[in-house]
């Protein structure tokens, strides 16, 4: 049994990472085993340079693309040199075997042996020289962002997709924190729901997941609460977003564990890593109920501690894998339609927007956010989001489908479509009785498990 503890922020700083868990060069492989070797699409990334430059500039990233390209040229030159020496050595070895069988003269054999030794030493030295060059370039390459989707706003303003009810911005509403009989709030890491708030916290999560299963053709899963660092890097997730866990008996020192919660996009990636599926099973649609421990999102609703800023919440996570980019666009729209149905039934003022490129993570190409109006803050607060990742993440975790003799990396769509704690906070501030909320997918509106099994059996009668 593992003995683990969560590291405090001060301790985390002392454990700063200097090497990557996603890409480990040969000189570091003696101390740290290679968990995953990502597919590095140099041609696809640098081939559309204008798109890459636009993505970097629109996101406001401090990346000098010209410097990265210069490192790439140096990396390529050393690789070509290494390849040539390796081929020469193979040629000498082959010639030596042929002459030995044919009974060649001793002087000629000795010359080839000496030549082989010289090439072996050259190859060894070239590999040593390549390690720092490779390490420097590859880690810069892995920091390059995904291309932006054509629908992603690049001018710094969000794009409105849908709005349900126009909120009264002049309304003065007390904070949800005044409901002491329903909420016992200690700090952002500790709070307790009571009475109808506790019931709604669970029922809303389960109802939405059930609605996705019955109406959206999703499969419900149960995901791990802990995710290895290599998967966070594969998704280009900042290590500061989650709490790192200190393990006393850690085999791979750089591939540490993080507390993400089962309802995190990254918690799906472990099951999809190095997975090859048949095209006939696509799209894969999954939904999961669980906890979310994302600290970065909570900071956006600060600085006053409340349910809007709490670092943990019950959540519903969606995950879809598709064959192509157009299929991914359709699935994102499908998820949004299901989410809109759910929030419309609750009848709270909300909207759906595409956020600007500057707010995206490096792995996202597009993000749609469901926002509920918070009267106490007099602005909208995110209660759910769905992102399009293209094939950016799949290339890093080797999640693909085989078509004839060709492998295609899958396009991923997903995100938490509900944060229950923030929704409860907004509903209380709108004076909406939690017990009276209509929840699509609730047990009263969907068939029981026994009924579902019987319906399945009836198909084969």
């Amino acid at each position: 049994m593992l003995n683990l503890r969560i590291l405090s922020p001060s301790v985390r700083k002392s454990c700063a990472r200097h090497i990557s868990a996603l890409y480990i060069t040969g000189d570091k492989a003696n101390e740290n085993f290679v968990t995953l070797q990502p597919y590095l699409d140099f041609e696809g990334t640098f081939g559309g340079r204008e798109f890459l430059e636009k993505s970097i500039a629109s996101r406001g990233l401090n990346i000098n693309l010209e410097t990265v390209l210069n490192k790439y040229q140096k990396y390529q030159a050393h690789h070509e040199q290494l390849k040539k020496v390796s081929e020469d050595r193979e040629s000498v070895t082959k010639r030596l075997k042929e002459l030995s069988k044919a009974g060649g003269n001793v002087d000629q054999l000795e010359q080839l042996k000496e030549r082989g030794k010289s090439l072996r030493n050259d190859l060894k030295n070239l590999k040593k020289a390549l390690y720092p060059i490779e390490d420097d370039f590859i880690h810069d390459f892995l920091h390059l962002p995904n291309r932006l989707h054509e629908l992603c706003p690049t001018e710094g303003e969000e794009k409105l997709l849908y709005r349900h009810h126009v909120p009264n911005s002049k309304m003065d509403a007390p904070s949800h924190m005044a409901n002491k009989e329903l909420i016992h709030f200690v700090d952002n890491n500790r709070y307790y729901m009571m009475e109808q708030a506790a019931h709604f916290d669970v029922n809303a999560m389960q109802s939405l997941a059930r609605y996705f299963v019955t109406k959206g053709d999703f499969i419900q899963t149960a995901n791990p609460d802990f995710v290895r660092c290599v998967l966070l890097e594969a998704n280009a997730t900042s290590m500061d977003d989650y709490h790192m866990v200190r393990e006393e008996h850690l085999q791979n020192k750089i591939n540490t564990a993080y507390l993400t919660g089962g309802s995190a996009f990254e918690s799906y990636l472990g099951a999809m890593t190095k997975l090859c599926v048949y095209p006939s099973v696509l799209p894969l649609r999954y939904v999961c109920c669980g906890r979310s421990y994302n600290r970065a999102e909570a900071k956006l609703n600060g600085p006053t501690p409340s349910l809007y800023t709490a670092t943990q919440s019950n959540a519903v996570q969606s995950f879809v894998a598709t064959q192509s980019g157009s299929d991914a666009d359709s699935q994102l729209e499908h998820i949004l339609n299901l989410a809109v149905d759910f929030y419309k039934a609750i009848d709270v003022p909300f909207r759906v927007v595409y956020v600007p490129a500057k707010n995206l993570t490096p792995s996202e190409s597009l993000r749609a956010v469901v926002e509920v109006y918070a009267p106490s803050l007099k602005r909208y607060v995110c209660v759910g989001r769905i992102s399009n990742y293209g094939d950016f993440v799949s290339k890093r975790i080797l999640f693909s489908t085989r078509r004839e003799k060709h492998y295609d990396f899958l396009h991923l769509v997903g995100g938490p479509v509900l944060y229950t704690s923030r929704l409860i906070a907004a509903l209380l501030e709108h004076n909406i009785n939690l017990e009276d909320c209509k929840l699509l997918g609730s047990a009263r509106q969907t068939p029981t498990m026994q009924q579902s099994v019987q319906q399945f059996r009836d198909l084969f009668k």
Side-chain angles (χ1 to χ4, degrees):
M1 183 176 179
L2 287 177
N3 185 7
L4 46 85
R5 61 190 178 90
I6 304 299
L7 290 183
S8 65
S10 59
V11 177
R12 285 170 54 85
K13 291 181 180 179
S14 65
C15 299
R17 300 176 52 78
H18 300 291
I19 57 177
S20 170
L22 183 60
Y23 191 89
I24 299 175
T25 52
D27 58 329
K28 299 183 180 72
N30 293 329
E31 298 178 1
N32 305 283
F33 61 84
V34 178
T35 307
L36 177 65
Q37 192 75 21
Y39 174 72
L40 303 174
D41 188 10
F42 300 135
E43 185 178 344
T45 302
F46 295 130
R49 178 172 176 175
E50 65 279 9
F51 298 107
L52 184 56
E53 288 177 336
K54 179 183 178 181
S55 180
I56 293 172
S58 300
R59 295 169 189 263
L61 300 177
N62 184 23
I63 295 176
N64 189 326
L65 186 56
E66 196 63 39
T67 301
V68 179
L69 287 170
N70 290 336
K71 291 181 180 181
Y72 176 50
Q73 292 174 358
K74 186 177 180 181
Y75 169 79
Q76 273 188 314
H78 275 73
H79 246 291
E80 289 298 323
Q81 189 178 2
L82 188 68
K83 182 181 177 182
K84 185 179 182 304
V85 173
S86 181
E87 289 174 351
D88 290 345
R89 188 188 177 200
E90 287 179 4
S91 177
V92 169
T93 303
K94 183 179 179 182
R95 179 64 178 157
L96 187 60
K97 288 180 179 179
E98 290 174 351
L99 285 176
S100 297
K101 288 182 180 180
N105 63 64
V106 177
D107 291 340
Q108 195 174 9
L109 289 172
E110 285 298 323
Q111 286 179 1
L112 286 174
K113 286 181 181 179
E114 289 299 321
R115 175 63 176 158
K117 290 179 182 178
S118 176
L119 288 172
R120 182 185 62 189
N121 292 331
D122 290 345
L123 193 64
K124 184 178 179 181
N125 292 331
L126 280 172
K127 284 183 178 179
K128 284 185 178 180
L130 179 63
Y131 287 144
I133 296 171
E134 181 183 23
D135 195 55
D136 187 34
F137 163 65
I138 295 298
H139 293 126
D140 278 1
F141 177 79
L142 291 174
H143 280 92
L144 293 176
N146 195 358
R147 288 188 182 185
L148 293 177
H149 193 281
E150 59 183 8
L151 297 178
C152 180
T154 57
E155 301 301 323
E157 295 293 331
E158 68 267 359
K159 180 181 177 181
L160 181 65
L161 300 179
Y162 178 85
R163 181 164 57 193
H164 180 72
H165 293 330
V166 177
N168 182 6
S169 58
K170 296 181 180 180
M171 179 180 68
D172 291 325
S175 169
H176 60 277
M177 300 289 282
N179 295 273
K180 302 296 184 181
E181 73 284 1
L182 299 178
I183 304 167
H184 176 57
F185 191 90
V186 181
D187 55 38
N188 281 330
N189 294 321
R190 295 175 296 165
Y191 65 90
Y192 304 90
M193 299 284 193
M194 296 174 287
E195 303 294 339
Q196 57 177 296
H199 289 290
F200 185 90
D201 189 35
V202 176
N203 292 338
M205 174 180 62
Q206 294 179 344
S207 296
L208 181 54
R210 195 179 293 114
Y211 187 68
F212 268 63
V213 171
T214 57
K215 299 298 183 182
D217 197 24
F218 278 69
I219 297 172
Q220 188 165 355
T221 63
N223 297 343
D225 285 321
F226 299 95
V227 171
R228 289 292 173 188
C229 174
V230 65
L231 296 178
L232 296 186
E233 286 191 28
N235 193 48
T237 302
S238 171
M239 300 301 153
D240 292 329
D241 286 4
Y242 298 107
H243 295 278
M244 187 172 77
V245 176
R246 169 71 59 85
E247 300 169 77
E248 291 189 354
H249 304 289
L250 182 62
Q251 293 180 344
N252 192 343
K253 295 181 180 179
I254 64 172
N255 195 18
T256 51
Y258 284 78
L259 177 64
T260 62
S263 191
F265 182 80
E266 295 87 351
S267 67
Y268 269 109
L269 300 184
M272 308 303 164
T273 297
K274 299 181 182 179
L275 179 64
C276 183
V277 299
Y278 290 107
S280 58
V281 305
L282 299 174
L284 295 173
R285 300 189 190 96
Y286 298 121
V287 66
C288 174
C289 292
R291 304 290 290 173
S292 173
Y293 298 100
N294 192 307
R295 302 190 302 176
E297 291 187 354
K299 295 177 182 177
L300 300 176
N301 301 321
T304 305
S306 68
L307 290 184
Y308 295 129
T309 64
T311 57
Q312 60 173 309
S313 172
N314 278 334
V316 178
Q317 175 71 35
S318 61
F319 182 96
V320 179
T322 68
Q323 179 81 60
S324 65
S326 58
D327 291 340
D329 293 340
S330 298
Q331 291 304 314
L332 188 144
E333 184 177 349
H334 178 55
I335 296 173
L336 278 179
N337 287 334
L338 293 172
V340 166
D341 289 345
F342 180 81
Y343 288 101
K344 279 177 65 178
I346 296 176
D347 202 28
V348 63
F350 76 93
R351 68 179 186 178
V352 181
V353 298
Y354 283 145
V355 300
K358 65 180 182 180
N359 293 343
L360 300 182
T361 64
S363 61
E364 293 174 309
S365 65
L366 178 69
R367 186 199 300 171
V369 176
V370 181
E371 298 178 321
V372 169
Y373 187 76
S376 66
L377 301 179
K378 296 191 181 299
R379 61 181 176 86
Y380 283 93
V381 172
C382 169
V383 291
R385 55 182 172 83
I386 306 96
S387 302
N388 188 331
Y389 296 90
D391 58 2
F392 183 87
V393 178
S394 294
K395 288 177 179 177
R396 295 176 171 220
I397 64 173
L398 308 181
F399 184 24
S400 63
T401 180
R402 185 174 183 178
R403 188 174 52 185
E404 296 179 354
K405 295 183 180 180
H406 180 67
Y407 288 89
D408 292 327
F409 291 101
L410 300 181
H411 291 249
L412 304 184
V413 172
V417 289
L418 169 65
Y419 289 114
T420 58
S421 59
R422 299 177 199 172
L423 178 59
I424 289 172
L427 292 175
L428 292 176
E429 292 179 359
H430 282 284
N431 294 319
I432 296 177
N433 191 323
L434 299 179
E435 292 182 334
D436 296 335
C437 284
K438 180 182 178 182
L439 297 175
L440 291 183
S442 64
R444 293 175 303 209
Q445 299 173 343
T446 57
T448 63
M449 179 63 72
Q450 290 81 1
Q451 291 172 327
S452 298
V453 171
Q454 186 58 49
Q455 290 172 1
F456 181 76
R457 289 172 176 169
D458 290 343
L459 294 174
F460 297 94
K461 284 184 178 180

